[in-house]
Amino acid sequence: MPNFSVDEIRAIYRLPLFELLQKGRETFLRNWPEHDEVQLCKLMSIKTGGCSEDCGYCAQSAHFKTGTEPGKLLGVKDVLPVAEDAKQQGATRFCMGAAWKGIREDDPRFGTVVEIVRAVAGLGLEVCVTLGQIGEEAAQKLKDAGLTSYNHNLDTGSSYYSSVVTTHKFEDRVRTLRAVQSVGLALCCGGIIGMGEGEDDRLGLLASLTELYPHPESVPINCLVPIPGTPMENSSPVDVFDLVRMVATARVVLPLSKIRLAAGRSRLSKEAQALCFFAGANSVFYGDKLLTTPNSAENEDRALLAALGLKPQIPHG
Ligand code: SAM
Ligand code: DTB
Ligand code: SF4
């Protein structure tokens, strides 16, 4: 899969909107035989809050007074019933987040996560975790336990990263991505728009994603959910056409990645979401809660897919 420079991506992103939509659509139809399917992913926080990092968007950073109640790492018995219920509701992927800077394979909490991954994979669901920075040994153990994909977002362009986070660097994120890929584990890697970044920062994020080899298996595109108490609490909402352009451009330059409409979807109209699906988005977070904030209601999502003639992804193999 080729990589793209920021200039090449800009030429796509700035096309007249309908041309861009058409390009995204064509790429999607060419590469995805199941183009009427949207993957439903259930998200669960398995260790909430109290994080040492100062990511300016995050409800779970200990640096900001966000009102998020810190919690301990959950165990298999807490998580499995939620995963079983998600499967019952039609989800085919179960994604779990832990608010850590990172974790080592010799930490007993890592052993608990591995047990959780094994148990959820045993249900026949795709499993994804986001645990912060990890090395090759931990990545290998997660893979052996049946993990489908490891989530670690680059979040924005490399030159804007230090305006968002000061406690770690963009290069630290890249190191984790390399460790994950070096053991042959698939990556879920995307970012956020609406943090005050410029167009080139968004396009820089896409360029960095295309430089990953292989391209990420899935790419979440989050719109900032402004969290009271964080430095970004007063950020303006993303322009809907900027989001649609971002989704369509991602589809063109990352043709085989699942493009996930992630955080911030509950603020979008049905029509805006329809444009994103048309442009090639083929995955959403499903269920009434994201990690700490509300998501679109499940019944509304089911109604929207039905109205568009789309269906939840059928479990494949
Ligand atoms: N600690 C882990 C890490 O840093 O990768 C995982 C947790 S973090 C909650 C996972 C991703 O969720 C972030 O990289 C960011 O893209 C997204 N995210 C977190 N808070 C968000 C918010 N308020 N609005 C939009 N996206 C958000
Ligand atoms: C991703 O890119 N978005 C998800 C998931 N990966 C872990 C997280 C969204 C969090 C939204 C804010 C919250 O609920 O705290
Ligand atoms: Fe939030 Fe992850 Fe940053 Fe911690 S490292 S503040 S959990 S995004």
Side-chain angles (χ1 to χ4, degrees), residues 57-58 60 98-100 130-132 151-153 155 173 191-192 222-225 227 263 291:
Y57 51 80
C58 189
Q60 306 199 67
W100 288 322
T130 181
L131 314 170
N151 169 254
H152 200 63
N153 290 342
D155 279 332
R173 309 286 293 178
I192 313 182
N222 298 276
C223 294
L224 177 73
V225 177
I227 308 287
L291 292 175

Side-chain angles (χ1 to χ4, degrees), residues 42-46 74 78-79 82-83 94-98 290-291:
K42 169 70 184 164
L43 188 54
M44 181 181 188
S45 180
I46 58 169
L74 303 180
D78 309 301
V79 177
V82 181
F94 196 73
C95 311
M96 294 170 274
L290 294 169
L291 292 175

Side-chain angles (χ1 to χ4, degrees), residues 51-55 57-58 60-61 98-101 168 173:
C51 183
S52 64
E53 303 307 282
D54 67 353
C55 309
Y57 51 80
C58 189
Q60 306 199 67
S61 165
W100 288 322
K101 173 173 190 158
H168 60 261
R173 309 286 293 178

